[in-house]
Structure formats: structure tokens, C-alpha cells
Amino acid sequence: MRRIRRLLIANRGEIAARVIRSCRRLGIEPVLAASDADLESLPARLADRVVRLGPADAGRSYLDPAAVVRAAQAVDADAVHPGYGFLSENPSLARACAAAGIVFVGPAPESLEAVGDKLTARSHALTAGLPVVPGGEAGGLDQARAVAAEVGYPLLVKAVGGGGGRGMKLVAGPEDLAHTLDLAVSEAAAAFGDPRVYLERYVSSGRHVEVQVLGDGERAVALGDRDCSVQRRYQKLFEEAPAPLLPDALRAQMAAAALALAEHLRYRGLGTVELLVDRERGTFYFLEMNARIQVEHPVTEMVTGLDLVAEQLAVAEGQPLRLRQEDVVLAGHAVECRINAEDAALGFRPSPGRIDRVVLPVGDGIRVDTHVQGGSVVPPYYDSLLAKVIVHGVDRADALARARAALELLRIEGVATTAPVHRALLADPEFAAGGVDTAFFERFLASALVGVP
């Protein structure tokens, strides 16, 4: 077992600030690796030390494994925490850290490779006994047509190397297949360096539900589920735990499936098994596994009482799991609103710039994870997430009511944000009833956006 005393955080924004918070509690020295655009950021001021990672261009800073390892060596860090996004699921960074004698806070490179390639992940899921969405690899138009004939339309084209909703395109009918396939292949090659794509049946009444797992390489525990069905163009906007209106038997089956996959992989670290619930059939399918901490992890922390970053670090040190499955007890309901620097009235166009004033809500059950304050600059180079407003209540109705009150108190001035959209969402009767599908938000926008205050 190797004790982590100095941790290099190779990320930015709210997740960097979030990891720093756990470091403070655990007595670990946090060092931030920052690009030129983030050297004066709030996380840079919160960290004990800051090391320059590279230019603002992510390709030469946050996405450069060699730069991350050099930064860790420069400050004599024991470990690297990659956060989410960027290099968090990159086996090259994990291997480079191991070669340099640095702990990588994440799964083993073999696990990253097993789930990072979506076709390989499907194969592992099948071996572990999980149902997968009908589909298959599309190595060319002829193969794609054969898969489509078996699966039926509509269907989705997905990038093998993609994730987080990127690289997905809907094909309504056979007349659209060739064009969409060409477009998807080109975009996959440009975005992920991997032109491979595959096809899946499009489940029109699907819910996006995921199970949080934690493993130490020998055993794993499930830490409850989350509903992430409120999405725009496959990008999550609102999450909650536990997933509402799921039959108990189905919930138990999904947790067992996630554990079966984690144990099959001999998984070490935090992971999220993403599942698609078919509301019409009352069944679920495996979608993918994310081998990192998730943006939406706070809702799981709120209902379990756990610090998931602390659990990540403990496993990375080589400690066996500190939890048994019976120790995981869920209490109440939690929701998370992602507040992005985007203008919904202009098609969610990014809104970089200087923030003039920030007022964050406080109160019982309210938590805000953020990296901005008055005077902060939102750069145009990265993801637009500004803050996550997380609220816990005794039940879902209480959590939603508290969230509505919290958002009324929130003020971020100087840039456009998605806070008004969340206020309208929380007032929507269909959403309040619970159990919406992944197509809900586009319907909601079509009817509500004009009236968003």
C-alpha cells in the first residue's frame, strides 16, 4: 500500500475544486496542474501549489499525457487525479504514470481499454451476462445495411471511441443511412482519432439510468443508481438519485448487472455502468461503462453520505474496499442542476466572458460545486460548466421544492447561464411527475423555451 501525501490534480473547473476539498479533509497536499488559461482560476488559488501544464489549447496541456507526467515529477507528486473528461479514461496516461512510479487515481490500463472501446465493452457485458441493445459494428455501408436490416429503424450510429453523448447520430430510415454513416465516420476520426462506428436500435421510450460501482480489484459494491434522462443532444443537464418510479425488482436487477460487470473486469476504482431502460418493455440494456468519477457523482454522495473522491483515493493507495454492500444505505432523494455558461435563447450558444457577480444559495440540504466567483473569467476553450446546484430532500417532492427555492437565490451575472431553463424545468408538471424519457427535454424546450424567464 502506498500512502498518497501529495496529489497532482490534472484537471480544471469545478472538479478540480472538488478534489481539492477532499484533499484538505484527508490531509493530502493538493497541487493543481493548470493551463495558461487557468493559472489565476479559483482552483489555482485553492490549491497549495500550481504547476503550469501548457498553453490554453487543451491538446497541448490537459490532453497531453507527457505534460501531465512531467508536471507530477516536477512537484514530486505521489499520484495524479485526472478528474473527468480530458485524460481521465486514457490508458496512455495510466501507463505513463505507472512507468514513472506515480499512482494513477483510476482503473488499471487494462480496464480502461476494456470499456473505452465501446465494441469491446459490449463484448465484456455479454460475457458478464448483461443484455445489450441490439446492434453491431458498421465496418462499411454493406455491413451497416445488414445490421440495420436486422435491428430495424430508427437506429443510432455511435462512435466506438466516443463517450459522454458525443459521436452519436440518429438514422430515421434507410434513405439516411449512407449519408449519416459517412458523417459519423468523419466526425469520429476527427474527435477521437478512431473512425470506427457501430449501430444500435433506437429506443424511443428509453430512460438513461446508471449504477455507481466501486471496486478494489477483488470485489465491488453498488452505490445506488441515478437517473440522467434529462438530456439535450445526448448531453446531460439534470440528474437525480435514486432513479424515480423504477420497480424494485428492476432496480435490483440493474444493480446486480452492474456488479457482475465490475467483478468480471476485476474493476478497481470508481465506475459507472450506464443502462437504457425500455419503458414499454420494462427491460434494460447495457450502454457503456465510464471508468472515472462522473459529473453527477454528488447526488450519489448526498444519498449515501459517502465522499466518493476519498473512496477513489483509498483504492488507489491499494487499500481494500472499506464498504460492504450491506453498509450502503440510501437516505432521501437528491437532484443536481448543471449550470452552464450558455444562452438557451440562442440555441445554447456558449457564453464566455467575465463574471461580474455571483450569489450562491445556502440552506439545509443545499450544496454548490463551483469554480467561479465575482471576477472569474470563463474562457472559450473548455466545457461551459460553471456550477452544479445539488439539493437533498427527504423525498423527491421535497428535493424538487428545495431545488426551486435554491435556484431562485442563485445569481451569476455577466454571462448567460442555463439557470432559467432549470427554473422552468422544475416547474414543468410532466417532469415533476417523474420517470421522463430521454426525448422529454426536447419536447419541453419546444413548448417552454419562449416562456423561459
Side-chain angles (χ1 to χ4, degrees), residues 190-255:
F192 309 112
D194 185 347
R196 292 177 300 153
V197 298
Y198 64 104
L199 306 181
E200 278 186 354
R201 174 192 294 161
Y202 176 68
V203 180
S204 60
S205 61
R207 291 178 61 186
H208 186 128
V209 178
E210 56 191 33
V211 179
Q212 179 74 72
V213 295
L214 175 69
D216 62 7
E218 297 296 327
R219 65 183 184 90
V221 292
L223 305 178
D225 50 61
R226 301 183 287 253
D227 193 308
C228 307
S229 299
V230 178
Q231 303 176 7
R232 176 180 177 269
R233 297 181 179 176
Y234 308 111
Q235 297 294 314
K236 301 170 186 175
L237 296 171
F238 179 96
E239 302 96 359
E240 56 185 311
L245 303 181
L246 273 187
D248 290 342
L250 184 62
R251 194 187 303 275
Q253 291 169 13
M254 294 168 70

Side-chain angles (χ1 to χ4, degrees), residues 134-422:
E137 186 173 3
L141 183 56
D142 288 343
Q143 186 179 12
R145 283 174 173 157
V147 173
E150 182 179 347
V151 170
Y153 292 92
L155 52 80
L156 286 172
V157 183
K158 292 186 172 183
V160 171
R166 298 179 64 196
M168 295 172 60
K169 294 190 177 300
L170 179 65
V171 182
E175 66 280 1
D176 300 324
L177 181 60
H179 171 72
T180 306
L181 190 67
D182 286 344
L183 189 60
V185 167
S186 297
E187 290 187 1
F192 309 112
D194 185 347
R196 292 177 300 153
V197 298
Y198 64 104
L199 306 181
E200 278 186 354
R201 174 192 294 161
Y202 176 68
V203 180
S204 60
S205 61
R207 291 178 61 186
H208 186 128
V209 178
E210 56 191 33
V211 179
Q212 179 74 72
V213 295
L214 175 69
D216 62 7
E218 297 296 327
R219 65 183 184 90
V221 292
L223 305 178
D225 50 61
R226 301 183 287 253
D227 193 308
C228 307
S229 299
V230 178
Q231 303 176 7
R232 176 180 177 269
R233 297 181 179 176
Y234 308 111
Q235 297 294 314
K236 301 170 186 175
L237 296 171
F238 179 96
E239 302 96 359
E240 56 185 311
L245 303 181
L246 273 187
D248 290 342
L250 184 62
R251 194 187 303 275
Q253 291 169 13
M254 294 168 70
L259 282 176
L261 180 58
E263 289 167 357
H264 163 72
L265 294 169
R266 298 181 65 83
Y267 193 83
R268 187 190 73 225
L270 274 183
T272 298
V273 179
E274 301 204 351
L275 305 167
L276 182 67
V277 176
D278 189 326
R279 297 196 305 177
E280 293 181 355
R281 293 179 170 87
T283 58
F284 70 91
Y285 303 105
F286 169 80
L287 287 176
E288 63 179 326
M289 184 173 186
N290 291 313
R292 52 174 165 78
I293 197 164
Q294 295 276 95
V295 178
E296 59 269 22
H297 78 275
V299 293
T300 296
E301 292 187 325
M302 296 291 261
V303 297
T304 61
L306 297 171
D307 179 339
L308 295 187
V309 173
E311 299 303 325
Q312 268 191 304
L313 294 170
V315 169
E317 287 181 331
Q319 297 184 39
L321 281 185
R322 303 185 290 191
L323 295 166
R324 298 168 300 173
Q325 192 61 59
E326 55 266 33
D327 296 328
V328 181
V329 179
L330 307 185
H333 197 92
V335 301
E336 174 181 287
C337 302
R338 298 193 190 191
I339 309 301
N340 297 328
E342 297 172 354
D343 192 332
L346 296 176
F348 289 81
R349 187 173 69 185
S351 179
R354 181 183 177 86
I355 294 176
D356 299 323
R357 178 172 176 255
V358 175
V359 178
L360 302 178
V362 295
D364 291 342
I366 298 174
R367 163 180 164 180
V368 181
D369 285 13
T370 187
H371 63 288
V372 299
Q373 57 186 5
S376 293
V377 175
V378 182
Y381 314 108
Y382 314 115
D383 183 87
S384 61
L385 181 64
L386 298 179
K388 301 182 306 196
V389 177
I390 309 112
V391 181
H392 182 262
V394 295
D395 55 25
R396 186 172 189 268
D398 183 43
L400 294 180
R402 290 171 182 250
R404 286 191 289 270
L407 288 178
E408 290 301 320
L409 298 173
L410 177 69
R411 296 288 183 273
I412 301 178
E413 300 173 359
V415 299
T417 79
T418 55
V421 176
H422 283 284

